[in-house]
Amino acid sequence: MAGEIIGYGGSSMTGGVLAYSTTVNGSYTVIAGVLDLTPEKLQVTKVKRTAYDSPSYAMVMAPGMIDPGEIEFKGLMLKALTATLYAITVARTNYFWRIQLHDSDSTPSNWKCEGFICEFGTPMPIDDNVIIDVKICCTGLPIFAAGA
């Protein structure tokens, strides 16, 4: 198939892929193959609930808001698609992102989140492809679905 990243976006889907969509359950457009992935780290903030008349004189904490974090991604993509990813970055627009790992023949594992590209590294050319470094800042809780 012309214009495909061998081992990543082909019909066999043997590697992982990064895709985006305008809706969470919509049609996703594959844009890059996964070379390396650092999933987000959810952080729950600590809220101080201590009063000066606390009987134990200890800080009392409660769980607060959740910071959904960032997904760091190194990928291999066609040079022709670099302009698309760059345009998405400079438009500062939220999209729904899916990183499908293809760790199963039947149902692959995937991460989905709504977010925007907060970092876009300079593409490094390799023949007709480029290696990209991208960081997606999640704007809500990411969803992980384990493969079967």
Side-chain angles (χ1 to χ4, degrees), residues 82-94:
T82 306
T84 301
L85 199 57
Y86 180 78
I88 289 171
T89 304
V90 297
R92 302 173 305 147
T93 304
N94 278 359

Side-chain angles (χ1 to χ4, degrees), residues 74-134:
K74 182 181 288 281
L76 182 67
M77 67 187 301
L78 296 170
K79 283 182 186 177
L81 294 175
T82 306
T84 301
L85 199 57
Y86 180 78
I88 289 171
T89 304
V90 297
R92 302 173 305 147
T93 304
N94 278 359
Y95 281 93
F96 291 91
W97 299 92
R98 180 182 70 197
I99 298 174
Q100 198 159 12
L101 302 179
H102 299 296
D103 53 355
S104 168
D105 289 335
S106 58
T107 306
S109 300
N110 67 70
W111 289 94
K112 285 183 185 177
C113 77
E114 182 177 6
F116 58 94
I117 297 176
C118 50
E119 285 186 23
F120 179 75
T122 304
M124 302 299 294
I126 298 177
D127 298 325
D128 291 336
N129 301 315
V130 292
I131 294 177
I132 55 163
D133 287 309
V134 173

Side-chain angles (χ1 to χ4, degrees), residues 8-46:
Y8 294 92
S11 57
S12 63
M13 301 300 264
T14 55
V17 293
L18 172 69
Y20 69 97
S21 176
T22 55
T23 60
V24 70
N25 292 318
S27 175
Y28 281 81
T29 302
V30 173
I31 198 158
V34 174
L35 295 177
D36 192 22
L37 173 67
T38 304
E40 78 293 335
K41 293 180 182 177
L42 297 179
Q43 293 184 341
V44 179
T45 59
K46 297 182 279 186

